Amino acid sequence: MKDVTDDLAPDLTQFLADQGVKPVVAATTLRKMLIVTVDLFYTGAAQSSGGEETRVEGAVGATTPKLAVATLHCKCFYKQAAQQGAFVARLIEQASKLEGVVGTVVCGDMNLDSPWPDKTSAEVQQASVGAAEFGCFPTAEGEGVTPIVNTNVTDFSTTVTKSGLQMVTPPTNFTTLKMRTKFQAQAGKIGAVAMGHKDQLVLPMDMHVTDVIVAGRDEADPSLSPTAANNTNMSLLQPSRMWPGDHFAVVAAVDIQLSKHARPPPPHHDCTIPLPTQYVAKQRKSAAAAFFDAVLVAVGASKAR
C-alpha cells in the first residue's frame, strides 16, 4: 500500500478553486483526504499435468495492478453540492491515471446537507420521518407531515452519475438519523430530528457491485421485526443500545475484472478478484451481511464488558 495523497493534492486544490468552492470548505476537505494505492492479486484454478485442479495465487501481468482508494470526510459544501460531485469525479479521473491503477473507489462522509423547511416543528419532523418508507427520506406532504429538502443530495448524485460513475448508496436513503434531547445545550430544539445522506461509495461503472448493506441495528431483535408496530424509521435513531455510532454502516461487495487492464495470466486462471477469505459468507449469507454480522458481534462484546 502506498500513500499518494500528496501526488494528487495540487491538482485537486486547483480544481476546487476553479469551481469557486469556498476556501475554508476546500481546505478542510483536502486536509482530511487520504488516497492510497493497493496491490491487487488474483486467485484462480489451474490444471496440473496430472489433470488435478490446483489453486494458485500471484500478481496478474508484468506489473501488479493496483486499486486506488480515496477516503473523504468532507466539510459541508451546502448549496455547492454539484461542485462537490464534480470534485469526486475529478479525484477518480486523476487517481485512475496513476501508474498501475486499474480502478478507483471514493468512500467516506460526504456531509451532504438535508434541511427541513423553515419553521418545521419537532413534532412534524418526527411524524414525517416515522411515516416515510423504511430507510428513506420523507417525501409525502399533507396533514402533519412534510418532505425534507433534498436538493443538495440530488445535485451531488446527478453530477456524479452524469460523470459516468455509480453511487452504492441510493440518494433516496439516509445514512444518519439523530434527535436532539433535553441533555443538549439548545433547549428550543429538543425533539428535533436531523437526518442526512452522508455516507457514500462512488465507483466507476465497470465495477460490478454484487451486494450492499446500509444498516445500523440487529434484525435478530424480535421487537424490530418487519411486522413489529415500532418498525419505523424512528426505531433507527442513533446512537442506540445496538449501534453506538452516529452513522450507519455502509458495506459493499465489489467484483473487479482485471482481464481488460493487464496482460492475461496463464490459461485456466480466473481473472476476477475474489472476496477476501474472512468476508466469505457462510450459511448462504451474502458477503456484506457476513461482515456486518461480525461488526454486531464486536459491538455486543464491547457492551458485555
Side-chain angles (χ1 to χ4, degrees):
M1 184 171 69
K2 179 183 178 182
D3 186 343
V4 295
T5 308
D6 291 342
D7 296 339
L8 299 181
D11 177 86
L12 296 173
T13 300
Q14 186 61 51
F15 182 81
L16 287 172
D18 293 343
Q19 291 286 310
V21 175
K22 295 179 180 178
V24 65
V25 173
T28 303
T29 298
L30 292 168
R31 177 169 53 84
K32 295 183 177 182
M33 176 181 70
L34 175 65
I35 310 170
V36 299
T37 58
V38 183
D39 289 350
L40 294 177
F41 295 84
Y42 71 80
T43 300
Q47 300 295 326
S48 67
S49 58
E52 295 180 357
E53 186 178 274
T54 58
R55 302 298 293 180
V56 294
E57 296 185 3
V60 178
T63 301
T64 303
K66 306 178 191 303
L67 178 70
V69 181
T71 301
L72 300 176
H73 189 174
C74 298
K75 189 171 180 64
C76 186
F77 280 61
Y78 291 104
K79 293 183 179 181
Q80 292 187 306
Q83 289 90 326
Q84 183 180 8
F87 163 70
V88 170
R90 177 72 173 193
L91 197 166
I92 290 179
E93 176 189 359
Q94 295 302 105
S96 298
K97 295 178 181 178
L98 296 173
E99 183 179 2
V101 170
V102 298
T104 301
V105 176
V106 173
C107 58
D109 183 351
M110 303 301 157
N111 216 356
L112 296 166
D113 184 44
S114 296
W116 291 99
D118 288 342
K119 299 182 180 180
T120 301
S121 68
E123 292 75 18
V124 170
Q125 291 177 15
Q126 293 178 34
S128 301
V129 172
E133 182 180 350
F134 195 64
C136 297
F137 285 107
T139 57
E141 187 168 11
E143 184 67 28
V145 295
T146 188
I148 205 164
V149 180
N150 231 6
T151 306
N152 297 326
V153 176
T154 300
D155 289 347
F156 175 85
S157 60
T158 299
T159 303
V160 166
T161 54
K162 283 186 174 180
S163 300
L165 304 170
Q166 59 178 317
M167 302 192 335
V168 167
T169 311
T172 54
N173 292 123
F174 57 86
T175 67
T176 181
L177 178 67
K178 294 170 278 189
M179 184 172 70
R180 291 182 177 269
T181 71
K182 62 182 67 177
F183 298 106
Q184 292 167 296
Q186 296 171 294
K189 293 186 178 181
I190 292 174
V193 178
M195 64 192 316
H197 179 96
K198 308 254 183 202
D199 309 281
Q200 187 57 264
L201 299 171
V202 181
L203 317 167
M205 289 300 296
D206 61 358
M207 290 188 183
H208 179 50
V209 180
T210 60
D211 204 356
V212 180
I213 284 182
V214 179
R217 69 174 193 177
D218 187 2
E219 288 289 355
D221 187 336
S223 68
L224 299 176
S225 68
T227 57
N230 66 339
N231 189 39
T232 73
N233 285 325
M234 291 302 291
S235 68
L236 298 175
L237 285 171
Q238 305 162 323
S240 70
R241 62 184 179 84
M242 286 306 305
W243 193 255
D246 64 348
H247 289 246
F248 293 153
V250 179
V251 183
V254 181
D255 281 347
I256 307 171
Q257 298 291 330
L258 295 183
S259 57
K260 64 182 179 180
H261 297 292
R263 190 179 68 191
H268 310 298
H269 285 72
D270 181 3
C271 284
T272 301
I273 295 297
L275 291 169
T277 303
Q278 65 267 30
Y279 292 173
V280 174
K282 296 181 179 179
Q283 297 178 352
R284 301 183 65 82
K285 284 187 176 181
S286 70
F291 178 81
F292 186 62
D293 285 349
V295 172
L296 286 176
V297 169
V299 170
S302 68
K303 289 196 304 178
R305 291 193 181 99

